Amino acid sequence: MTGLAGSHPALLQMRGIEKRFPGIIALHQVTFDVAPGEVHCLLGQNGAGKSTLIKVLAGVHQPNAGRIVFDGQDVDFSSPDDAIKAGIGTMYQELDLVESLTVAENIFLGHEQTRGGFSSRKSEQSKARELLARLGHPEISPDMEVGELSAAGQQIVSMARALSREVKLIIMDEPSAVLDSEEVANLFDTVRTLTANGVAVIYISHRLEEIRMIGDRITVLKDGTAAASNLLVSETPNAELIRYMTGRTISSIFPPVRSLDERTPPVLEVKDLVIAPGHQPISFSVRAGEILGLAGLVGSGRSEILGAVYGSTKAVSGSVAVDGKKIRSGSTVAAVNAGMGLCPEERKSQALLLDDTLIANFTLPSIGRFATAGFTDGAREYRASMEQIEKLELRPADPRREARTLSGGNQQKIVLGRWLSHGCRVLLLDEPTRGVDVGARSEIYQLVSELAGSGIAIIVVSSELEEVLGLCHQVLVVSEQRIVHRAPAGELSEHQILDLVMEGSTL
Amino acid sequence: MSISTPPKLERAQAVVPRRSAMKWLLDAGLRRNLGLILALVLLCALGVLTAGDRFADSNNLMTILRLAAVTGVVSIGATFVITIAGIDLSVGAILALAAVWATTLSGQAFAESTSWIFMPLTAMLIGAAAGLLNGILIAYGKVVSFITTLAMMAAARGLAEIISDKKTQLITVDGFLQAVGGEVFGIPVIVVIFVVVAVAGWVLLNRTTFGRRTFAIGGNPEAARLAGIKVQRHTALVYTLAGLCAGIGAFMLMARTTTGSATHGTGLELDVIAAVVIGGTLLSGGRGSIFGTVLGVLIFSALTNIFTLNNLSLSVQLVAKGAIIVIAVLIQRQLAIRQSRT
Ligand SMILES: Nc1ncnc2c1ncn2[C@@H]1O[C@H](COP(=O)(O)OP(=O)(O)OP(=O)(O)O)[C@@H](O)[C@H]1O
Ligand SMILES: [Mg+2]
């Protein structure tokens, strides 16, 4: 589907878009075009302004300057409502669902189905069921509370919601970040149906291979300006995209895997851990300097394993020991005291103090160290935070900003920085590069590798098999709450892991 | 273009318990309020044990309901406010202002010469107007609800004192006293009003788009905004509704006491918040139950009744009330935890 640009009148034209936030210019003179029926990919590093651009389009932010022409008309959206009415559906990067409402209620929020003035639960439920089935998820029940769903399930609901209205353009801001490969394939099927019907899609992702699979054209943002516009996917190699995004060339994204001395003693030992009643006991150990990967599908139980090891959920039986000392089960305090750190999967709900400064976020577990007789030392906290910001190349480099105002990928870096400044013996990373751009990703890999080199034991949970294989020494394949296979990363391939996962799940 | 439906894995089904409509109803009604129903039953048993027939008597039942009616109606409005994670401390003062305004000499003379209906209408109008002012300040002025309504609480009470000159205004409009103060089929009219408002409130919260959006705003205001809901306007409307309910409560209290006074509804806001919260509406927003609120109100008035029948002092009542609040909330929590596990 190339050459769309010339043949069709544009569906959307954004011209000279300018958006300033206090102390930062998020968008500067951005021009962006979308043709009907195309998948236009928006690329750029964390904080480049992708989400800001689409929020301007969706009526969430009002631009300081610029012109938007949508479907042949000059538009000026003063609220999300206006954009929705014009036919723009949006799946936001940070999930925008009401957890205490049901799936159907969320899907029809803002355009509830009514009969005689009363909301009609029946027709909402049947329409919701139909939509979910179309998306390949008939098993999600419309009357389930959204808070009970996994992140992936919530993403599906968000998708169903965007599809529940008549739309001409759908914006998807990193929809695949919480999906595994099978669900991404599902998503792409839906996207293809949409575009075949003339609906245009704006697709944001940090995974270049996805853009190869689904995209027609690409616009790259860098530091709030369009670094390249309307590149044809078929004619632009990855290296070029990365250069546009980062301004430099990155040859290999993974650092070389450090060799491990077979004689180093284990730091973390997990013995016969039963996570929930009826589950099989799990045992494994991680040595100093070793990176252990947990591979598997979303929902296969990898995060639950981390949770039980860390003590955020109480295991039924079994033991966890750090440096040979057993840790009281079900106590995160004991875990942190023993030198464990966890970067959880859901940064927004499980890790960040969104309304607090970066400083407060960094020093949360180690605040005692920055205090004398209970009084905190602001200057030292500031310095320690600044150090992490530099190490992680966090943007904007201002420790006094609220975490909420940072872009998604940069928020992820805050969580990592928290444990780096705390210093630990065992680091548990749950999807550490979710939503992180290519440049920062290779930095995080580098960092993880260095941490391991300094003698820390690390566990990485990731849905990206490439990441597990490229970064880890040893891999455990998890399926259906069980460890179905263990092998050194060098002896596994992506295909093998996928086969193991599927096999395990049909047993 | 066909969408392929790849074989789904078990994990997907494992996380999805199906809920039938019937079970949902049980959930929403009985099971979620089991603790409260239990508490009410226990209280009734206590009443029968200590006061015997004087408690278990249809006249006494009406006394309890009459006692519950005013607080009940105001609590219905407050349930909406607390569901959007707000708080309204001004309902008692608004009630007083509305009552005083509706019972001025000139007002009563006007009602006498035209129709008694103008007295309840005035009360409702004043209540709604004060609520709207709260709502505008909170939604558009972005002043937190606690402060806004604290200010309104002082101002409305003060204004009521100015208008009434701190004197109790006797109601002389017979039409009003007979209509609102009377009975239909042996049931006091104010009890009927309570029932009507409660049912209307339940429908509004659970069966209309207004209610749906109320839950959404309480659960996640940002998500509601992104979904295209006019969050500010809705918030203002919710406080207006709370004011309106205070206005309705005002003319009900006028009928019960045959007076309008600046001291009406003193401390009512705390009774209201207590009833709503033990009814299972979360102060953090997103969850609210009208049924629970009604039960909460009934528990408190049954308690007061039992204590009065046994000639116990007001001070003892207060201690018991405090204990009830804590116990009820603890029971609710336990049930909620058990439910989320199953
Ligand atoms: N509400 C806000 N207030 C202040 N600054 C903001 C706000 N929203 C975004 N920014 C800033 O604007 C810049 C662009 O952020 P944006 O979220 O658009 O990045 P992004 O390209 O979507 O990044 P990511 O890939 O990490 O999601 C960042 O520097 C961010 O800190
Ligand atoms: Mg973004």
Side-chain angles (χ1 to χ4, degrees):
Chain A
M1 287 227 281
T2 53
L4 275 169
S7 53
H8 289 266
L11 173 69
L12 169 76
Q13 290 177 300
M14 298 177 85
R15 291 279 172 275
I17 302 294
E18 194 83 25
K19 179 66 196 175
R20 291 184 288 272
F21 291 115
I24 190 161
I25 300 175
L27 296 174
H28 179 63
Q29 290 294 325
V30 175
T31 292
F32 184 54
D33 285 334
V34 179
E38 81 163 326
V39 178
H40 199 130
C41 301
L42 202 49
L43 280 183
Q45 287 189 284
N46 297 131
K50 303 178 298 293
S51 298
T52 307
L53 182 67
I54 63 104
K55 282 182 180 168
V56 165
L57 177 56
V60 177
H61 293 319
Q62 281 65 50
N64 297 95
R67 189 168 159 237
I68 304 176
V69 181
F70 183 67
D71 209 15
Q73 274 170 358
D74 259 78
V75 290
D76 179 13
F77 300 138
S78 63
S79 74
D81 196 27
D82 294 345
I84 290 169
K85 289 213 177 94
I88 299 178
T90 311
M91 295 166 66
Y92 293 94
Q93 179 175 17
E94 303 298 345
L95 288 172
D96 52 326
L97 302 169
V98 184
E99 299 205 340
S100 51
L101 292 184
T102 66
V103 169
E105 285 168 348
N106 265 290
I107 291 177
F108 292 100
L109 192 60
H111 64 128
E112 296 81 359
Q113 309 288 297
T114 54
R115 189 170 301 153
F118 296 108
S119 49
S120 166
R121 205 179 292 270
K122 269 232 179 68
S123 89
E124 282 183 359
Q125 297 216 336
S126 66
K127 280 187 192 163
R129 198 165 285 131
E130 194 183 305
L131 275 168
L132 291 165
R134 241 173 77 196
L135 292 174
H137 284 267
E139 82 287 352
I140 297 179
S141 159
D143 49 4
M144 209 175 153
E145 254 179 47
V146 160
E148 297 168 35
L149 288 170
S150 66
Q154 296 189 8
Q155 190 64 264
I156 306 294
V157 175
S158 190
M159 177 91 205
R161 170 149 104 192
L163 292 179
S164 69
R165 309 196 191 227
E166 278 295 311
V167 286
K168 300 189 184 91
L169 172 69
I170 290 197
I171 303 168
M172 302 184 178
D173 195 351
E174 299 194 30
S176 58
V178 297
L179 302 178
D180 57 41
S181 48
E182 185 205 352
E183 272 159 341
V184 170
N186 257 344
L187 174 78
F188 286 177
D189 279 342
T190 314
V191 168
R192 286 188 195 104
T193 321
L194 286 168
T195 49
N197 291 320
V199 175
V201 176
I202 298 176
Y203 190 85
I204 302 180
S205 174
H206 289 293
R207 300 186 188 165
L208 298 181
E209 68 277 10
E210 288 176 7
I211 286 163
R212 297 258 158 253
M213 284 160 74
I214 196 76
D216 295 314
R217 291 192 299 168
I218 302 172
T219 291
V220 183
L221 286 182
K222 179 169 185 339
D223 300 329
T225 58
S229 298
N230 307 329
L231 304 169
L232 291 175
V233 169
S234 47
E235 292 169 10
T236 322
N238 279 357
E240 198 177 330
L241 290 175
I242 293 176
R243 209 177 56 242
Y244 278 126
M245 280 194 275
T246 62
R248 58 197 151 121
T249 38
I250 295 175
S251 50
S252 166
I253 154 162
F254 293 105
V257 176
R258 287 164 200 262
S259 62
L260 259 182
D261 184 353
E262 292 293 322
R263 285 159 310 178
T264 28
V267 176
L268 176 75
E269 284 171 289
V270 176
K271 272 212 190 79
D272 300 323
L273 196 66
V274 178
I275 292 164
H279 286 189
Q280 284 189 3
I282 287 170
S283 303
F284 60 87
S285 64
V286 192
R287 278 175 293 181
E290 181 176 346
I291 307 176
L292 174 76
L294 297 189
L297 296 176
V298 174
S300 59
R302 299 162 308 168
S303 302
E304 285 84 347
I305 294 177
L306 284 198
V309 169
Y310 190 64
S312 57
T313 52
K314 197 167 164 28
V316 177
S317 63
S319 70
V320 176
V322 173
D323 289 328
K325 268 189 286 199
K326 275 195 185 152
I327 299 174
R328 193 150 53 85
S329 161
S331 160
T332 53
V333 177
V336 172
N337 286 343
M340 276 206 247
L342 170 74
C343 298
E345 191 176 10
E346 310 248 349
R347 56 177 175 253
K348 221 173 169 179
S349 63
Q350 300 179 321
L352 288 174
L353 312 172
L354 284 171
D355 293 319
D356 239 322
T357 58
L358 299 196
I359 300 181
N361 274 286
F362 279 129
T363 58
L364 183 64
S366 38
I367 186 71
R369 262 190 256 149
F370 294 96
T372 353
F375 295 98
T376 54
D377 179 349
R380 258 175 62 213
E381 279 191 76
Y382 185 94
R383 279 197 304 277
S385 305
M386 208 54 218
E387 200 178 297
Q388 293 311 322
I389 287 174
E390 272 157 24
K391 204 188 269 175
L392 296 164
E393 294 198 26
L394 227 140
R395 295 282 166 273
D398 172 10
R400 295 199 200 284
R401 279 185 92 86
E402 282 174 13
R404 184 184 294 283
T405 66
L406 263 70
S407 74
N410 280 304
Q411 289 181 354
Q412 183 66 45
K413 293 187 197 168
I414 303 178
V415 186
L416 264 175
R418 168 183 299 172
W419 294 112
L420 296 187
S421 83
H422 184 73
C424 26
R425 297 281 294 133
V426 180
L427 196 54
L428 313 175
L429 307 175
D430 203 347
E431 305 283 2
T433 59
R434 172 182 292 175
V436 171
D437 67 57
V438 195
R441 185 179 300 204
S442 73
E443 279 154 26
I444 288 178
Y445 294 149
Q446 185 66 40
L447 207 72
V448 169
S449 163
E450 277 167 23
L451 286 171
S454 73
I456 295 178
I458 298 177
I459 303 184
V460 177
V461 164
S462 174
S463 298
E464 287 181 61
L465 299 179
E466 192 197 3
E467 182 168 301
V468 176
L469 294 178
L471 189 64
C472 302
H473 296 102
Q474 191 83 15
V475 177
L476 303 183
V477 182
V478 181
S479 176
E480 300 285 291
Q481 277 73 30
R482 286 180 304 123
I483 295 174
V484 290
H485 192 73
R486 64 184 85 201
E491 294 172 13
L492 281 167
S493 72
E494 291 192 26
H495 270 290
Q496 270 173 302
I497 297 185
L498 272 176
D499 285 347
L500 282 164
V501 162
M502 294 301 174
E503 241 170 69
S505 69
T506 48
L507 277 176
Chain B
M1 186 109 216
S2 73
I3 295 183
S4 68
T5 312
K8 283 277 112 197
L9 309 169
E10 278 94 318
R11 78 190 142 81
Q13 281 134 27
V15 292
V16 188
R18 291 271 293 118
R19 286 198 297 182
S20 70
M22 190 57 213
K23 220 172 123 221
W24 177 86
L25 252 170
L26 279 176
D27 254 6
L30 302 178
R31 231 171 60 179
R32 230 172 65 197
N33 293 303
L34 204 63
L36 290 174
I37 294 173
L38 216 69
L40 195 56
V41 170
L42 284 178
L43 263 181
C44 290
L46 185 73
V48 174
L49 267 171
T50 56
D53 285 348
R54 283 186 298 142
F55 180 81
D57 170 74
S58 67
N59 277 336
N60 190 51
L61 180 66
M62 285 307 148
T63 311
I64 295 177
L65 290 178
R66 271 166 61 93
L67 209 64
V70 174
T71 316
V73 165
V74 180
S75 299
I76 300 298
T79 306
F80 284 82
V81 170
I82 295 180
T83 302
I84 63 164
I87 198 88
D88 192 343
L89 299 173
S90 64
V91 285
I94 290 178
L95 184 146
L97 178 64
V100 163
W101 204 307
T103 52
T104 54
L105 281 179
S106 54
Q108 290 204 46
F110 179 72
E112 194 77 70
S113 62
T114 49
S115 164
W116 61 267
I117 196 81
F118 283 104
M119 290 177 68
L121 280 183
T122 310
M124 292 198 296
L125 192 70
I126 298 301
L132 179 63
L133 186 57
N134 273 337
I136 288 173
L137 286 169
I138 292 162
Y140 298 95
K142 306 239 182 289
V143 187
V144 293
S145 58
F146 189 92
I147 296 300
T148 308
T149 59
L150 191 67
M152 177 60 81
M153 174 176 163
R157 184 77 67 190
L159 190 57
E161 287 178 358
I162 294 171
I163 292 174
S164 67
D165 199 18
K166 294 198 186 179
K167 292 195 180 76
T168 301
Q169 298 166 343
L170 269 180
I171 297 175
T172 54
V173 184
D174 283 336
F176 173 76
L177 292 178
Q178 274 159 17
V180 186
E183 296 187 345
V184 279
F185 305 120
I187 301 170
V189 171
I190 62 169
V191 173
V192 175
I193 296 176
F194 174 28
V195 173
V196 169
V197 171
V199 171
W202 187 87
V203 171
L204 187 63
L205 189 61
N206 297 297
R207 285 287 175 270
T208 67
T209 54
F210 184 88
R212 181 75 58 77
R213 289 167 186 192
T214 304
F215 282 121
I217 291 171
N220 186 343
E222 180 64 8
R225 190 174 76 94
L226 294 179
I229 290 172
K230 298 190 171 67
V231 175
Q232 289 173 315
R233 199 182 69 181
H234 194 98
T235 303
L237 281 176
V238 165
Y239 284 92
T240 311
L241 183 69
L244 176 69
C245 286
I248 297 174
F251 77 76
M252 291 163 68
L253 193 62
M254 278 154 48
R256 211 181 80 194
T257 59
T258 71
T259 61
S261 157
T263 61
H264 274 353
T266 307
L268 177 70
E269 56 281 347
L270 296 184
D271 289 352
V272 165
I273 293 169
V276 173
V277 171
I278 77 163
T281 298
L282 293 184
L283 280 171
S284 51
R287 271 172 226 271
S289 161
I290 297 284
F291 191 43
T293 296
V294 170
L295 286 172
V297 173
L298 289 180
I299 285 175
F300 281 129
S301 60
L303 185 75
T304 309
N305 180 259
I306 293 168
F307 278 70
T308 318
L309 289 177
N310 289 300
N311 296 322
L312 288 171
S313 75
L314 201 69
S315 320
V316 182
Q317 282 188 35
L318 283 177
V319 175
K321 207 160 153 185
I324 290 255
I325 293 177
V326 173
I327 292 168
V329 171
L330 280 177
I331 294 177
Q332 292 267 324
R333 252 195 76 73
Q334 286 307 313
L335 287 176
I337 291 169
R338 196 158 320 147
Q339 242 181 54
S340 72
R341 288 222 186 103
T342 54

